[in-house]
Amino acid sequence: MIITLLSWIIIIWMSCILGNTFIRIVMPETFQGTTKVDVYFVIGLMILNVYAQIYSIFVGVGRLAFSMALVVVILLSIRYLIKGIRAGETCRRFINVKPVIWKICISIILAGIILILTMKAPEFVDTYLYHVQAIRWIEEYGVVPGLGNLHCRFAYNSAFLVLQALFSFSWIVEPLHSLNGCLCCFFVVYAVMTNRIFSDEKAYLSDCLKLLFIPYIFLNQRTLSSPGTDMLAMLLVIYVASKWSECTEKNDNSIQSYSFLCVLAVWALTIKLTTVGSLLLVLFPAVRLIKNRNWKYIIKDVACGIIVVIPWLVRNVLISGYLIYPYSMIDLFPVDWKMPKEILEMDKMEIVVFGRAVETVSSYHDSIADWLPVWFDNQMLKYKLLIIMGFAATIFLLAALGIMLIQYFRKSKPADNFMPPESLMLFISILAGEMFWLFSAPLVRYGMVYLMMPVAAAYYLIERKAGPGLKYVVLIGGTCVATFWGIYKNENFTWVIPQGYWQMDSIPEDIDGVTIYRPAGDQWLNGYYPFPAARNKEDLEKVELRGKDLASGFRTKNVTE
């Protein structure tokens, strides 16, 4: 527990300092009238992720990478400390959140549960299939050309795994897996401490959306201790939606606030492609800025987006030979380490059919009428309930929007009662994300938040008519369920050192004079040790080194120099 807590403190401290610096220098006019500590944390985390990706293009992300970032943060912290003492600023002013006893108590309870869950050994299958091996490659080598030829899952190249490597601390202790827990703890505390839904009579959509952090995290508690890539991507979708709504409610007239959230949506895309629906939000600030011919902000926002996405695209090309994996139609680079197109096409189809819960790739071209009943029948009960609630809420929202449109055009109500364009754009992005998820790879954990957000929006509309009593049922019931869920079957717990990764049996194989391991069983699971490792013997037989060592990368054997 102690080591995990220390890692959390370091992550939050470094992120907040860097985020605060960025906001002061680049976007000082953003988020007027709203809390900013969450903005500092998220933007700082994004900066660290971009920095780690750029660093990984040249060398492994280990002790030196972390130390360089740490030195910068320490110098900035000293500067802010001296400046704050001279100006009489307090930490409370920095945090800008009013302390409320019951909010503090609930935050401590939920944070404690998340800490306990984070301490457990990772149980998520994908962690041992490729997550930790990918992190190990990033720690040791940064990025290796053609690494996707050794293991096609490495080509997924989630930016989050590079951030995991930066904060694994494998050079000082056993590799930690505490980052997802840190993120969840921060967002839960933020959602509770800044929420107005339990103190004001009026319901706010942003507060309903913030509450989604809690059920999402505890529905996915098995992945809290994993370095999996789903968690941050989905948390960012919720955060962007709730912050966007909060800016609308507080009449934040700074278009830069919305532009900043669009940059976060771009960052989320580099973590998980299933967040693409949030990119539609870009249309709102883009139209406003172009209409007003505000070229200064346009250049600034476009530059921020490019800086965020370019390192990810470069890593994509180096790992797989393609700009975006697994889409082979974007084939721009004639490199010798390029993965065969048939592997990309097969992997894309496998992702889709796996999400649909059907058995064979031959079902890829089935119509929705064929696969939808099978998909629903194969879900767990809790997911079936979530799907029903999500789709029912979506229909309810579409009907409500339709009624509001009719009333608006008939002018039976004043025009200012119609949904503002900011909120309309948010609803469109939520619905677009839900549709993209459903018709691409509808695995529930890939798009769970797209089912939850319509439920939160529908709850918001219903509470406006039903009155404030409903929210207390949600508060008490949700806290009790989360507490029970968090402590149930979590008896394996240590106070100092968190449980490490499982050890997997492996068999060494020789590839061009270099030892590469493969799993001893038929489950394709390797874990953090041994390193390096491939999925199976068949994959190893198809690849060769591009040079004399691992750093030179891999290519398929039918490629000649």
Side-chain angles (χ1 to χ4, degrees):
M1 177 183 286
I2 297 173
I3 292 177
T4 300
L5 273 175
L6 284 174
S7 70
W8 285 10
I9 293 170
I10 292 171
I11 294 167
I12 294 173
W13 165 54
M14 293 179 67
S15 298
C16 286
I17 293 297
L18 290 174
N20 185 28
T21 304
F22 178 88
I23 292 296
R24 286 171 181 257
I25 297 174
V26 181
M27 295 182 175
E29 64 277 20
T30 55
F31 301 105
Q32 302 300 321
T34 66
T35 55
K36 286 191 177 182
V37 65
D38 54 297
V39 178
Y40 299 152
F41 174 73
V42 176
I43 195 70
L45 202 67
M46 182 179 71
I47 291 170
L48 287 167
N49 199 180
V50 173
Y51 157 72
Q53 288 183 89
I54 295 173
Y55 196 97
S56 72
I57 295 172
F58 304 100
V59 69
V61 181
R63 178 187 302 174
L64 183 58
F66 176 81
S67 300
M68 289 172 61
L70 183 63
V71 169
V72 172
V73 170
I74 290 174
L75 293 176
L76 288 172
S77 299
I78 294 172
R79 180 179 181 275
Y80 289 139
L81 182 62
I82 295 173
K83 185 177 179 180
I85 292 174
R86 289 176 178 175
E89 293 181 350
T90 63
C91 182
R92 179 177 175 180
R93 180 178 175 180
F94 175 81
I95 296 175
N96 194 27
V97 176
K98 294 180 180 180
V100 180
I101 296 299
W102 68 266
K103 288 185 178 182
I104 295 174
C105 292
I106 291 178
S107 298
I108 291 173
I109 292 172
L110 295 178
I113 295 169
I114 292 172
L115 178 60
I116 292 173
L117 293 171
T118 306
M119 297 285 291
K120 297 177 63 179
E123 300 174 353
F124 193 38
V125 173
D126 281 2
T127 292
Y128 299 97
L129 179 61
Y130 75 98
H131 288 159
V132 290
Q133 275 287 309
I135 293 170
R136 185 76 183 274
W137 275 103
I138 296 166
E139 291 172 347
E140 300 284 345
Y141 295 96
V143 64
V144 172
L147 188 60
N149 290 307
L150 180 65
H151 195 319
C152 67
R153 298 294 177 90
F154 293 153
Y156 291 171
N157 184 35
S158 171
F160 185 59
L161 294 180
V162 187
L163 192 64
Q164 287 278 2
L166 183 66
F167 289 117
S168 73
F169 300 103
S170 60
W171 41 273
I172 191 170
V173 294
E174 283 294 310
L176 299 183
H177 43 81
S178 60
L179 185 53
N180 269 331
C182 175
L183 300 173
C184 291
C185 182
F186 182 91
F187 281 116
V188 163
V189 173
Y190 158 72
V192 173
M193 294 298 295
T194 64
N195 213 293
R196 301 161 292 175
I197 197 170
F198 302 114
S199 57
D200 292 350
E201 291 186 1
K202 182 180 178 181
Y204 294 95
L205 178 58
S206 62
D207 297 313
C208 296
L209 290 169
K210 286 177 187 177
L211 289 180
L212 293 182
F213 285 119
I214 299 173
Y216 173 75
I217 288 168
F218 286 99
L219 279 172
N220 294 275
Q221 61 166 297
R222 289 181 63 249
T223 62
L224 278 175
S225 60
S226 164
T229 59
D230 297 321
M231 189 69 76
L232 177 57
M234 296 297 102
L235 292 176
L236 282 176
V237 171
I238 299 174
Y239 176 76
V240 169
S242 62
K243 200 70 178 180
W244 185 284
S245 184
E246 184 179 5
C247 290
T248 305
E249 293 158 1
K250 294 194 174 183
N251 298 316
D252 187 342
N253 296 319
S254 171
I255 197 65
Q256 283 295 281
S257 298
Y258 298 101
S259 298
F260 160 80
L261 294 173
C262 292
V263 173
L264 289 184
V266 173
W267 178 38
L269 185 70
T270 69
I271 296 170
K272 203 79 174 179
L273 291 177
T274 52
T275 65
V276 68
S278 297
L279 283 183
L280 283 176
L281 294 173
V282 173
L283 295 175
F284 174 73
V287 170
R288 287 283 183 90
L289 290 172
I290 293 173
K291 183 179 179 180
N292 296 330
R293 296 183 179 181
N294 197 329
W295 304 116
K296 174 186 174 182
Y297 286 151
I298 291 173
I299 294 172
K300 183 192 298 185
D301 297 338
V302 171
C304 287
I306 290 174
I307 291 171
V308 168
V309 80
I310 284 295
W312 175 69
L313 293 176
V314 171
R315 284 181 50 85
N316 279 343
V317 174
L318 289 173
I319 293 174
S320 67
Y322 297 89
L323 199 63
I324 300 178
Y325 183 92
Y327 298 99
S328 59
M329 70 285 294
I330 311 177
D331 187 358
L332 305 175
F333 304 95
V335 293
D336 69 324
W337 64 79
K338 185 180 296 181
M339 296 173 64
K341 287 187 177 181
E342 56 269 22
I343 292 180
L344 274 73
E345 294 300 322
M346 179 61 68
D347 202 16
K348 182 173 65 175
M349 290 189 291
E350 286 179 349
I351 292 170
V352 171
V353 297
F354 181 70
R356 294 176 179 175
V358 294
E359 295 181 355
T360 61
V361 174
S362 60
S363 303
Y364 175 79
H365 297 288
D366 288 354
S367 66
I368 188 172
D370 293 327
W371 62 259
L372 190 63
V374 178
W375 169 74
F376 184 79
D377 288 341
N378 283 300
Q379 304 299 325
M380 292 184 286
L381 178 60
K382 61 181 180 180
Y383 290 155
K384 287 182 178 179
L385 293 175
L386 181 60
I387 291 167
I388 293 171
M389 292 171 60
F391 288 167
T394 300
I395 295 171
F396 174 81
L397 287 179
L398 289 173
L401 286 173
I403 293 172
M404 284 189 282
L405 279 171
I406 293 171
Q407 292 176 340
Y408 176 73
F409 286 112
R410 287 182 177 178
K411 297 183 179 180
S412 59
K413 290 189 176 182
D416 57 2
N417 280 350
F418 183 66
M419 183 178 295
E422 298 93 330
S423 298
L424 184 61
M425 197 68 241
L426 177 60
F427 275 100
I428 291 173
S429 72
I430 291 172
L431 294 174
E434 184 179 359
M435 292 302 102
F436 176 82
W437 162 76
L438 180 64
F439 289 100
S440 57
L443 190 66
V444 174
R445 67 178 172 86
Y446 289 169
M448 187 180 295
V449 298
Y450 292 118
L451 295 171
M452 289 182 169
M453 286 195 290
V455 175
Y459 169 83
Y460 159 71
L461 294 177
I462 292 171
E463 188 184 302
R464 293 176 66 184
K465 301 293 184 181
L470 183 60
K471 61 191 177 186
Y472 297 107
V473 177
V474 175
L475 171 64
I476 298 171
T479 303
C480 292
V481 170
T483 303
F484 173 77
W485 211 331
I487 63 177
Y488 181 62
K489 290 186 178 181
N490 284 311
E491 66 279 359
N492 295 325
F493 176 71
T494 56
W495 283 98
V496 180
I497 302 175
Q499 297 178 38
Y501 296 115
W502 291 342
Q503 297 288 335
M504 301 293 178
D505 294 331
S506 60
I507 298 173
E509 298 282 352
D510 182 81
I511 301 295
D512 298 334
V514 175
T515 300
I516 299 178
Y517 297 87
R518 63 177 176 88
D522 57 356
Q523 298 298 313
W524 294 358
L525 304 181
N526 293 299
Y528 192 83
Y529 305 103
F531 176 83
R535 289 194 304 177
N536 50 49
K537 188 174 182 179
E538 289 74 17
D539 286 353
L540 285 174
E541 292 174 347
K542 297 176 183 178
V543 300
E544 63 183 4
L545 290 175
R546 296 179 61 247
K548 297 181 180 180
D549 55 16
L550 292 172
S552 64
F554 300 87
R555 63 186 174 191
T556 54
K557 284 186 176 179
N558 61 333
V559 176
T560 58
E561 296 189 31

mmCIF file of all heavy atoms in Angstrom, residues 13 17 69-82:
data_model
loop_
_atom_site.group_PDB
_atom_site.id
_atom_site.type_symbol
_atom_site.label_atom_id
_atom_site.label_comp_id
_atom_site.label_asym_id
_atom_site.label_seq_id
_atom_site.Cartn_x
_atom_site.Cartn_y
_atom_site.Cartn_z
ATOM 1 N N TRP A 13 1.288 14.732 -8.449
ATOM 2 C CA TRP A 13 2.107 15.935 -8.266
ATOM 3 C C TRP A 13 2.736 16.373 -9.580
ATOM 4 O O TRP A 13 2.625 17.543 -9.981
ATOM 5 C CB TRP A 13 3.180 15.653 -7.215
ATOM 6 C CG TRP A 13 4.295 16.657 -7.168
ATOM 7 C CD1 TRP A 13 4.195 18.017 -7.039
ATOM 8 C CD2 TRP A 13 5.696 16.371 -7.276
ATOM 9 N NE1 TRP A 13 5.440 18.592 -7.043
ATOM 10 C CE2 TRP A 13 6.384 17.611 -7.182
ATOM 11 C CE3 TRP A 13 6.436 15.198 -7.411
ATOM 12 C CZ2 TRP A 13 7.763 17.693 -7.244
ATOM 13 C CZ3 TRP A 13 7.813 15.282 -7.470
ATOM 14 C CH2 TRP A 13 8.465 16.521 -7.380
ATOM 15 N N ILE A 17 1.609 19.920 -11.662
ATOM 16 C CA ILE A 17 2.586 20.994 -11.863
ATOM 17 C C ILE A 17 2.757 21.301 -13.353
ATOM 18 O O ILE A 17 2.732 22.467 -13.780
ATOM 19 C CB ILE A 17 3.943 20.618 -11.231
ATOM 20 C CG1 ILE A 17 3.819 20.547 -9.701
ATOM 21 C CG2 ILE A 17 5.020 21.615 -11.638
ATOM 22 C CD1 ILE A 17 3.457 21.870 -9.043
ATOM 23 N N ALA A 69 12.072 14.288 -16.480
ATOM 24 C CA ALA A 69 10.769 14.891 -16.196
ATOM 25 C C ALA A 69 10.690 15.345 -14.746
ATOM 26 O O ALA A 69 10.144 16.413 -14.436
ATOM 27 C CB ALA A 69 9.653 13.898 -16.513
ATOM 28 N N LEU A 70 11.260 14.547 -13.854
ATOM 29 C CA LEU A 70 11.217 14.867 -12.428
ATOM 30 C C LEU A 70 11.986 16.154 -12.120
ATOM 31 O O LEU A 70 11.525 16.984 -11.326
ATOM 32 C CB LEU A 70 11.790 13.702 -11.617
ATOM 33 C CG LEU A 70 11.760 13.858 -10.097
ATOM 34 C CD1 LEU A 70 10.331 13.951 -9.589
ATOM 35 C CD2 LEU A 70 12.496 12.695 -9.432
ATOM 36 N N VAL A 71 13.140 16.326 -12.733
ATOM 37 C CA VAL A 71 13.942 17.540 -12.505
ATOM 38 C C VAL A 71 13.157 18.781 -12.932
ATOM 39 O O VAL A 71 13.125 19.790 -12.219
ATOM 40 C CB VAL A 71 15.281 17.447 -13.267
ATOM 41 C CG1 VAL A 71 15.990 18.797 -13.264
ATOM 42 C CG2 VAL A 71 16.174 16.388 -12.640
ATOM 43 N N VAL A 72 12.512 18.711 -14.081
ATOM 44 C CA VAL A 72 11.710 19.841 -14.557
ATOM 45 C C VAL A 72 10.595 20.166 -13.568
ATOM 46 O O VAL A 72 10.348 21.335 -13.229
ATOM 47 C CB VAL A 72 11.126 19.544 -15.953
ATOM 48 C CG1 VAL A 72 10.130 20.626 -16.371
ATOM 49 C CG2 VAL A 72 12.234 19.420 -16.991
ATOM 50 N N VAL A 73 9.920 19.127 -13.082
ATOM 51 C CA VAL A 73 8.812 19.324 -12.144
ATOM 52 C C VAL A 73 9.308 19.912 -10.827
ATOM 53 O O VAL A 73 8.668 20.799 -10.245
ATOM 54 C CB VAL A 73 8.069 17.996 -11.909
ATOM 55 C CG1 VAL A 73 7.066 18.123 -10.763
ATOM 56 C CG2 VAL A 73 7.347 17.560 -13.179
ATOM 57 N N ILE A 74 10.448 19.435 -10.335
ATOM 58 C CA ILE A 74 11.001 19.964 -9.078
ATOM 59 C C ILE A 74 11.327 21.456 -9.224
ATOM 60 O O ILE A 74 11.000 22.259 -8.343
ATOM 61 C CB ILE A 74 12.262 19.170 -8.668
ATOM 62 C CG1 ILE A 74 11.871 17.752 -8.227
ATOM 63 C CG2 ILE A 74 13.000 19.888 -7.540
ATOM 64 C CD1 ILE A 74 13.059 16.851 -7.947
ATOM 65 N N LEU A 75 11.961 21.826 -10.330
ATOM 66 C CA LEU A 75 12.301 23.237 -10.549
ATOM 67 C C LEU A 75 11.044 24.104 -10.634
ATOM 68 O O LEU A 75 10.985 25.195 -10.053
ATOM 69 C CB LEU A 75 13.128 23.371 -11.826
ATOM 70 C CG LEU A 75 14.530 22.748 -11.796
ATOM 71 C CD1 LEU A 75 15.204 22.872 -13.156
ATOM 72 C CD2 LEU A 75 15.395 23.387 -10.717
ATOM 73 N N LEU A 76 10.021 23.623 -11.332
ATOM 74 C CA LEU A 76 8.762 24.364 -11.426
ATOM 75 C C LEU A 76 8.085 24.462 -10.061
ATOM 76 O O LEU A 76 7.519 25.504 -9.707
ATOM 77 C CB LEU A 76 7.829 23.691 -12.428
ATOM 78 C CG LEU A 76 8.204 23.813 -13.906
ATOM 79 C CD1 LEU A 76 7.300 22.933 -14.760
ATOM 80 C CD2 LEU A 76 8.123 25.262 -14.371
ATOM 81 N N SER A 77 8.154 23.382 -9.280
ATOM 82 C CA SER A 77 7.536 23.370 -7.952
ATOM 83 C C SER A 77 8.200 24.400 -7.041
ATOM 84 O O SER A 77 7.520 25.121 -6.295
ATOM 85 C CB SER A 77 7.638 21.978 -7.336
ATOM 86 O OG SER A 77 6.956 21.023 -8.123
ATOM 87 N N ILE A 78 9.524 24.467 -7.088
ATOM 88 C CA ILE A 78 10.248 25.451 -6.275
ATOM 89 C C ILE A 78 9.851 26.868 -6.683
ATOM 90 O O ILE A 78 9.621 27.744 -5.826
ATOM 91 C CB ILE A 78 11.770 25.243 -6.422
ATOM 92 C CG1 ILE A 78 12.175 23.890 -5.814
ATOM 93 C CG2 ILE A 78 12.532 26.384 -5.764
ATOM 94 C CD1 ILE A 78 13.623 23.514 -6.071
ATOM 95 N N ARG A 79 9.745 27.085 -7.988
ATOM 96 C CA ARG A 79 9.353 28.416 -8.483
ATOM 97 C C ARG A 79 7.962 28.788 -7.977
ATOM 98 O O ARG A 79 7.742 29.914 -7.508
ATOM 99 C CB ARG A 79 9.393 28.424 -10.003
ATOM 100 C CG ARG A 79 9.000 29.769 -10.620
ATOM 101 C CD ARG A 79 9.083 29.702 -12.147
ATOM 102 N NE ARG A 79 8.744 30.986 -12.744
ATOM 103 C CZ ARG A 79 7.506 31.395 -13.002
ATOM 104 N NH1 ARG A 79 6.479 30.605 -12.686
ATOM 105 N NH2 ARG A 79 7.283 32.566 -13.556
ATOM 106 N N TYR A 80 7.011 27.860 -8.087
ATOM 107 C CA TYR A 80 5.644 28.150 -7.639
ATOM 108 C C TYR A 80 5.579 28.321 -6.128
ATOM 109 O O TYR A 80 4.796 29.130 -5.619
ATOM 110 C CB TYR A 80 4.694 27.030 -8.085
ATOM 111 C CG TYR A 80 4.441 27.011 -9.572
ATOM 112 C CD1 TYR A 80 4.387 25.811 -10.276
ATOM 113 C CD2 TYR A 80 4.258 28.195 -10.270
ATOM 114 C CE1 TYR A 80 4.150 25.790 -11.643
ATOM 115 C CE2 TYR A 80 4.034 28.183 -11.640
ATOM 116 C CZ TYR A 80 3.981 26.979 -12.320
ATOM 117 O OH TYR A 80 3.753 26.974 -13.676
ATOM 118 N N LEU A 81 6.394 27.557 -5.401
ATOM 119 C CA LEU A 81 6.403 27.668 -3.945
ATOM 120 C C LEU A 81 6.895 29.051 -3.517
ATOM 121 O O LEU A 81 6.276 29.702 -2.660
ATOM 122 C CB LEU A 81 7.287 26.577 -3.346
ATOM 123 C CG LEU A 81 7.371 26.537 -1.816
ATOM 124 C CD1 LEU A 81 5.993 26.272 -1.214
ATOM 125 C CD2 LEU A 81 8.375 25.473 -1.367
ATOM 126 N N ILE A 82 7.987 29.495 -4.110
ATOM 127 C CA ILE A 82 8.525 30.827 -3.776
ATOM 128 C C ILE A 82 7.528 31.919 -4.163
ATOM 129 O O ILE A 82 7.267 32.850 -3.391
ATOM 130 C CB ILE A 82 9.881 31.046 -4.480
ATOM 131 C CG1 ILE A 82 10.921 30.053 -3.949
ATOM 132 C CG2 ILE A 82 10.367 32.486 -4.305
ATOM 133 C CD1 ILE A 82 12.236 30.072 -4.698
#
